[in-house]
Amino acid sequence: MASSSMPGGVLRRSDSVADMMPEALRQSRYQMKRCFQRYVSKGRRLMKNRQLVEELERSADDDKLEKAKLAEGFLGYVICSTQEAVVLPPFVAFAVRTNPGVWEYIKVHSGDLSVEQVTPTDYLKCRETLFDNKWARDDNSLEVNFGALDLSTPHLTLPSSIGNGTQYVSRFMSSKLSGKPENMKPLLDYLLALNYHGEKLMISETLDTVDKLQTALLLAEVFLAGLPRNTPYQKFEPKFQEWGLEKGWGDTAETCRETLNCISEVLQAPDPVNMEKFFSRVPSVFNIVIFSIHGYFGQEKVLGLPDTGGQVVYILDQVRALEEELLQRIKQQGLNITPKILVLTRLIPEAKGTKCNVELEPVEHTKHSSILRVPFKTDDGKDLRQWVSRFDIYPYLERYAQDSSVKILDILEGKPDLVIGNYTDGNLVASLLSSKLGVTQGTIAHALEKTKYEDSDVKWREMDQKYHFSCQFTADMIAMNTSDFIIASTYQEIAGSKEKPGQYESHYAFTMPGLCRYATGINVFDPKFNIAAPGADQSVYFPFTEKEKRLTDMHPQIEELLYSKEDNDEHIGYLEDRSKPAIFSMARLDKVKNITGLVEWYGQNKKLRDLVNLVIVGGLLEPSQSKDREEIEEINKMHSLINKYQLKGQIRWIKAQTERVRNGELYRCIADTRGAFVQPALYEAFGLTVIEAMNCGLPTFATNQGGPAKIIVDEVSGFHINPLNGKEASDKIAGFFQKCKEDPIYWNKMSTAGLQRIYECYIWQIYATKVLNMGSIYGFWRTLNKEERQAKQRYLQMFYNLQFRQLVKTVAKLGEQPTQPAESTAAARIVPRPKERQGPFLRNLLKRGRGSN
């Protein structure tokens, strides 16, 4: 096997594979000529990493010494680091990923082994040749280079720093504000603009210079030093106003003094620490709008309905945590302001027994947060009554953004301070609203569909009628580049691992032949990326050992759900031997969640079947009950597998459960059997069910593809499983239960270790603090480099109007016939601004992205 480690040490970002490769090829010239002949022998093709490594090993025949030399040398490292290669005889073009986020593209001649470094554009053209040669050779094919618009935006340099955006931004702002007093003017202007519904906060217009502000701060600090620390702000408010200091500094003399000291330090000697501390205290965020449009968004009876799963749970918990943190901050700031959080989703008249047809619904366990539902409109202006798949939603979004904007401004009596989007549809609408109103925008992907389906960019035509990826990938690009900051749950979501690119990283350079080439889509070294891991609701998901809190009145229901022997509308199959532990999984029934994969692993592993029962909660039980294309396929597959492996007596398949509180107790009842939770997804951006299960004390096995690999420390707080190797995964699960059978203490050890990991890293309070700090820091950050930002916004608006709007026309609305998938649209005719508006970043917007990271 080729080595994934760089011989002689780590390859630095400044090191070039193209410069080092010729000498390495010369040293193993005979074997490498054999290897490259093998690569080109089958003609034009796209080769993945595994194929490349296999051909490299075969080129050494049975010479073990030579095979080891190749594997451990520089060439073995390069091949192992290559994600894919395009074979166009006599050339082979490699996409080499030496570190997370760091890509280099090289082309090797299989005959003379000459090496050439190529640009992302050149590599993408090679890739396109395999799928649409005419388009690849067309000099006027549409090419987009968003990176050309960020030339003066500082970027992180180390892969280990990816996701630490706020820290980097604070460091950059510190250096920019340092030095001459006039450098502080942007910060002063920001403070002067702070207000709530027209009422000034922190400083008045009289403090219009840095010197005046520093004088006022000094007077206030001396004054406060003579007051008892708990003196209410109202007692000295008139004195503050004499000096031009308005409310917002604090609720007591002590908190005011802390804030005064904080800003004084920033004005005197800004550094990243005091900058972050300062922005955590600034009263700048009161009203928040969160978009989650698709599916059935509600608080009860919605989970398991089409397109409705963990995102709903995430947002409701997010809202509660954000409101609690907002209230605490506002109190500490000494303000009498009522914050508001609105969750914008779709109103669905045919609500299937849910409250999705109710326009305004308070969020439970909050005081100032609501779900606001706005309907989709038909062409004749009527409310669309039916559910619409998340893949078919695009024709309704622009009108939805307009209608939502009117409702938001009315309810909030003004603009929100922060807009956060969720998934492609919510992020696109958040982008439209934030651009229109000029407010700070955050983006949360939850899942980027491009990474779920291999080669879905170059094969977009094959999938477009079913999934409309032409719209989705375009919308994702617009939202990512419009957003001020992007929230990811894990590092892996952004930049993956050493071996596998992350969700966002896969959007760095990609192509959709016949439609659009992205020379630079999004760069994971952009400081807009931040990691904020969510938690689980501790009042719902608590350890099974907390007997006094257990919901014993639900046990008869759960007993019937798990163990009754009759099939009905709620469950299929039964558990013959109740004494066995149960492995448990709960997810939507779609291909990526891989529930049918878990059933197949279980069916094929006799030892595992002897040791444990299998309990599945997911989807509907009959294909006739579903309207979701993918779910119907998975339902049929479930029935087929149960029959094929004769699982009745060992499996309980329960349809999707919508009652979170009962689901929490269900986790605990599985823990009572000394069972385990298994999350087998082919890819999981985060893994909320993993957090829930660990919170309840269940030892957990979870996919090593995505977020769960970060949540769980393998063999310490849980176990990683490879969803692409079912035998290995099922053997690992069986091994755990065999060990627990021999040593019952081992189960307790893993249960406790999982809980400890949760308490250290995955609670909502930490998340809320981080997100509100992002809102403040990026709210100031967006005021810097205004000219470049405005240029990029104009470009994005042009791309939206000329490209996305055309693509939307290919998506049929309910009751319409679809049109043919789009080829290159009118966007191919985009031209630059007039000369007087051009900078270096505008001259190459559409052509020739230069270089890589």
Side-chain angles (χ1 to χ4, degrees):
M1 182 65 190
S3 171
S4 61
S5 300
M6 169 68 184
V10 177
L11 190 72
R12 299 182 300 272
R13 286 192 71 194
S14 57
D15 293 330
S16 168
V17 170
D19 290 343
M20 300 169 73
M21 201 166 176
E23 177 61 21
L25 287 169
R26 188 188 65 77
Q27 291 176 7
S28 303
R29 189 170 184 82
Y30 173 71
Q31 289 81 6
M32 292 316 297
K33 286 204 79 165
R34 283 172 58 90
C35 178
F36 275 84
Q37 285 304 315
R38 296 184 73 95
Y39 287 160
V40 300
S41 64
K42 295 182 181 178
R44 295 183 171 197
R45 56 176 171 155
L46 189 65
M47 296 183 71
K48 299 301 181 181
N49 175 266
R50 179 180 53 79
Q51 298 168 288
L52 293 165
V53 171
E54 287 173 358
E55 297 289 10
L56 175 67
E57 291 174 343
R58 288 174 187 148
S59 67
D61 290 328
D62 295 326
D63 188 336
K64 292 183 179 179
L65 188 64
E66 186 60 35
K67 190 176 287 189
K69 180 182 174 184
L70 282 174
E72 295 170 8
F74 179 73
L75 289 171
Y77 166 75
V78 171
I79 297 300
C80 195
S81 300
T82 298
Q83 293 298 310
E84 67 173 26
V86 180
V87 179
L88 299 172
F91 293 102
V92 183
F94 295 87
V96 185
R97 180 180 179 265
T98 53
N99 277 298
V102 182
W103 294 79
E104 188 171 346
Y105 303 94
I106 56 175
K107 189 162 72 172
V108 179
H109 192 289
S110 62
D112 60 18
L113 298 185
S114 58
V115 180
E116 176 190 0
Q117 185 172 32
V118 297
T119 65
T121 291
D122 292 333
Y123 175 78
L124 293 175
K125 285 183 176 181
C126 290
R127 205 166 186 253
E128 292 159 4
T129 301
L130 300 177
F131 299 91
D132 190 337
N133 186 46
K134 182 180 177 182
W135 199 80
R137 298 168 72 88
D138 185 352
D139 289 338
N140 294 311
S141 296
L142 174 61
E143 181 176 304
V144 174
N145 186 356
F146 288 119
L149 292 150
D150 294 323
L151 296 180
S152 68
T153 300
H155 282 62
L156 295 90
T157 55
L158 297 175
S160 58
S161 300
I162 291 170
N164 294 322
T166 52
Q167 294 93 317
Y168 184 81
V169 166
S170 296
R171 187 160 65 247
F172 177 76
M173 290 192 303
S174 300
S175 64
K176 189 157 186 173
L177 298 176
S178 298
K180 302 174 183 177
E182 54 265 32
N183 291 350
M184 277 291 171
K185 189 172 187 311
L187 184 62
L188 179 65
D189 291 341
Y190 172 78
L191 291 171
L192 284 167
L194 288 175
N195 73 91
Y196 179 74
H197 288 179
E199 186 179 3
K200 294 291 294 179
L201 298 175
M202 296 203 79
I203 65 174
S204 71
E205 297 291 348
T206 60
L207 302 180
D208 55 1
T209 68
V210 174
D211 285 342
K212 289 179 182 178
L213 175 57
Q214 287 180 313
T215 300
L217 296 176
L218 182 61
L219 289 169
E221 285 184 55
V222 172
F223 173 75
L224 290 174
L227 295 180
R229 54 188 295 195
N230 292 325
T231 305
Y233 171 76
Q234 289 76 13
K235 295 282 187 182
F236 51 86
E237 181 178 5
K239 203 70 179 172
F240 262 43
Q241 288 180 331
E242 283 181 27
W243 298 319
L245 301 177
E246 303 291 346
K247 61 182 66 175
W249 293 92
D251 59 339
T252 65
E254 181 181 27
T255 54
C256 285
R257 187 162 55 245
E258 289 170 354
T259 308
L260 288 164
N261 288 338
C262 189
I263 191 170
S264 293
E265 289 176 4
V266 169
L267 293 172
Q268 291 167 23
D271 64 51
V273 175
N274 61 35
M275 286 294 288
E276 281 194 67
K277 185 179 177 183
F278 165 67
F279 280 107
S280 72
R281 303 181 76 96
V282 169
S284 59
V285 178
F286 306 105
N287 296 326
I288 302 174
V289 169
I290 298 170
F291 283 100
S292 179
I293 301 168
H294 68 266
Y296 292 81
F297 194 101
Q299 301 180 80
E300 56 184 15
K301 299 180 181 179
V302 298
L303 296 181
L305 292 175
D307 290 341
T308 309
Q311 181 173 313
V312 173
V313 176
Y314 175 107
I315 291 168
L316 290 173
D317 287 344
Q318 173 197 48
V319 166
R320 295 182 186 105
L322 288 173
E323 182 182 288
E324 189 175 335
E325 180 67 18
L326 273 174
L327 288 169
Q328 184 177 327
R329 289 188 179 204
I330 291 168
K331 179 183 180 302
Q332 190 179 50
Q333 290 157 356
L335 298 172
N336 185 25
I337 290 173
T338 301
K340 288 181 182 175
I341 301 177
L342 292 178
V343 180
L344 266 289
T345 189
R346 187 193 156 204
L347 186 142
I348 308 174
E350 293 181 4
K352 290 194 172 182
T354 71
K355 291 186 178 179
C356 294
N357 55 355
V358 176
E359 182 182 34
L360 196 63
E361 179 188 357
V363 175
E364 293 173 3
H365 310 300
T366 68
K367 296 179 180 178
H368 313 294
S369 301
S370 302
I371 300 167
L372 174 60
R373 298 186 178 92
V374 177
F376 285 168
K377 294 291 186 179
T378 61
D379 289 340
D380 58 3
K382 295 179 181 177
D383 292 355
L384 185 68
R385 300 190 59 78
Q386 306 97 320
W387 163 81
V388 179
S389 165
R390 71 185 189 276
F391 296 120
D392 302 328
I393 206 169
Y394 304 102
Y396 303 100
L397 295 181
E398 185 171 312
R399 171 70 184 271
Y400 181 87
Q402 296 165 357
D403 293 344
S404 296
S405 175
V406 173
K407 294 276 187 182
I408 289 165
L409 294 173
D410 179 48
I411 291 174
L412 297 182
E413 299 177 359
K415 299 178 183 180
D417 303 301
L418 176 61
V419 176
I420 300 174
N422 292 271
Y423 193 70
T424 302
D425 50 358
N427 286 324
L428 182 70
V429 172
S431 298
L432 296 173
L433 190 76
S434 112
S435 298
K436 178 180 179 179
L437 300 182
V439 297
T440 309
Q441 178 194 349
T443 286
I444 306 173
H446 294 281
L448 291 165
E449 300 292 341
K450 179 177 173 294
T451 57
K452 292 183 179 181
Y453 303 86
E454 189 173 52
D455 297 328
S456 55
D457 51 352
V458 287
K459 296 178 180 177
W460 68 273
R461 283 192 189 92
E462 299 173 22
M463 305 180 187
D464 213 53
Q465 189 168 358
K466 184 175 182 180
Y467 295 117
H468 303 299
F469 285 157
S470 59
C471 285
Q472 183 148 26
F473 299 170
T474 304
D476 284 333
M477 284 291 90
I478 291 169
M480 288 179 204
N481 282 282
T482 304
S483 186
D484 295 293
F485 61 92
I486 295 173
I487 304 169
S489 298
T490 63
Y491 179 94
Q492 283 80 0
E493 186 180 343
I494 306 170
S497 62
K498 188 175 181 182
E499 294 78 24
K500 183 181 174 71
Q503 280 197 83
Y504 283 101
E505 186 185 355
S506 73
H507 292 75
Y508 169 59
F510 69 99
T511 185
M512 302 174 75
L515 188 66
C516 184
R517 178 189 307 125
Y518 293 93
T520 307
I522 190 72
N523 189 336
V524 295
F525 289 94
D526 193 305
K528 67 172 59 182
F529 283 100
N530 289 273
I531 298 167
D537 187 337
Q538 302 282 335
S539 67
V540 174
Y541 304 102
F542 55 85
F544 76 103
T545 52
E546 296 184 10
K547 301 294 185 184
E548 71 285 353
K549 292 171 67 176
R550 292 289 297 269
L551 307 176
T552 53
D553 57 325
M554 291 185 172
H555 285 189
Q557 302 170 34
I558 294 173
E559 170 81 12
E560 194 281 331
L561 202 60
L562 289 174
Y563 296 116
S564 71
K565 296 210 170 176
E566 298 298 322
D567 288 355
N568 58 28
D569 293 341
E570 192 88 357
H571 46 69
I572 288 173
Y574 62 94
L575 306 179
E576 186 70 48
D577 185 353
R578 291 186 52 170
S579 67
K580 287 199 255 182
I583 56 174
F584 175 51
S585 193
M586 180 160 55
R588 292 194 314 274
L589 265 189
D590 63 34
K591 290 177 182 177
V592 174
K593 294 299 184 185
N594 198 32
I595 292 296
T596 52
L598 173 60
V599 174
E600 187 150 28
W601 304 347
Y602 179 79
Q604 292 174 345
N605 194 315
K606 184 179 184 305
K607 184 178 180 182
L608 185 60
R609 291 174 67 169
D610 289 341
L611 286 166
V612 296
N613 292 316
L614 176 61
V615 176
I616 298 293
V617 174
L620 297 165
L621 304 182
E622 296 297 335
S624 61
Q625 297 170 337
S626 177
K627 294 181 180 178
D628 187 278
R629 295 171 288 234
E630 205 167 280
E631 185 179 43
I632 290 169
E633 291 176 23
E634 293 297 290
I635 292 170
N636 285 326
K637 190 174 180 181
M638 282 286 283
H639 285 287
S640 173
L641 290 169
I642 290 170
N643 293 330
K644 178 180 178 180
Y645 295 107
Q646 298 180 345
L647 295 179
K648 287 199 173 179
Q650 294 181 297
I651 188 172
R652 178 66 132 201
W653 175 17
I654 304 166
K655 82 171 187 180
Q657 298 297 296
T658 60
E659 294 182 31
R660 291 180 70 213
V661 173
R662 192 170 76 171
N663 285 346
E665 192 61 26
L666 180 56
Y667 280 116
R668 289 184 285 273
C669 287
I670 298 294
D672 291 335
T673 75
R674 299 182 75 77
F677 183 77
V678 181
Q679 207 272 30
L682 299 176
Y683 184 85
E684 183 64 56
F686 179 60
L688 195 55
T689 54
V690 172
I691 296 288
E692 292 169 356
M694 292 170 72
N695 256 297
C696 294
L698 262 178
T700 299
F701 294 79
T703 178
N704 62 5
Q705 303 296 310
K710 173 71 173 177
I711 297 170
I712 291 172
V713 180
D714 192 28
E715 308 278 349
V716 176
S717 54
F719 304 91
H720 296 167
I721 53 175
N722 181 358
L724 304 178
N725 190 334
K727 185 178 187 309
E728 177 189 273
S730 62
D731 284 346
K732 191 169 187 177
I733 299 167
F736 167 76
F737 282 104
Q738 183 62 42
K739 188 169 182 178
C740 291
K741 193 173 182 179
E742 296 163 3
D743 177 13
I745 294 175
Y746 184 62
W747 190 94
N748 295 333
K749 176 186 172 185
M750 295 308 299
S751 172
T752 302
L755 282 165
Q756 185 177 347
R757 176 72 175 164
I758 292 297
Y759 296 152
E760 287 172 356
C761 306
Y762 298 98
I763 58 174
W764 278 109
Q765 183 186 2
I766 297 171
Y767 173 96
T769 300
K770 286 183 176 181
V771 171
L772 289 181
N773 287 351
M774 290 177 212
S776 292
I777 289 172
Y778 288 94
F780 176 59
W781 173 251
R782 75 196 307 273
T783 66
L784 306 177
N785 299 327
K786 276 186 180 179
E787 185 177 336
E788 182 173 297
R789 179 181 175 79
Q790 288 169 356
K792 187 170 185 178
Q793 283 300 114
R794 287 194 295 270
Y795 179 61
L796 285 161
Q797 287 167 0
M798 180 167 57
F799 187 60
Y800 174 87
N801 285 320
L802 296 179
Q803 179 77 343
F804 183 75
R805 274 181 162 175
Q806 297 302 315
L807 294 172
V808 165
K809 293 176 183 177
T810 70
V811 183
K813 292 185 177 182
L814 281 185
E816 294 179 348
Q817 291 298 314
T819 60
Q820 289 297 311
E823 297 294 313
S824 294
T825 69
R829 298 190 294 274
I830 294 175
V831 294
R833 291 272 181 185
K835 285 185 179 179
E836 66 270 20
R837 301 303 294 257
Q838 291 184 15
F841 50 87
L842 281 172
R843 282 195 288 270
N844 291 318
L845 291 183
L846 299 176
K847 301 299 295 177
R848 301 282 191 264
R850 301 297 182 190
S852 63
N853 278 331

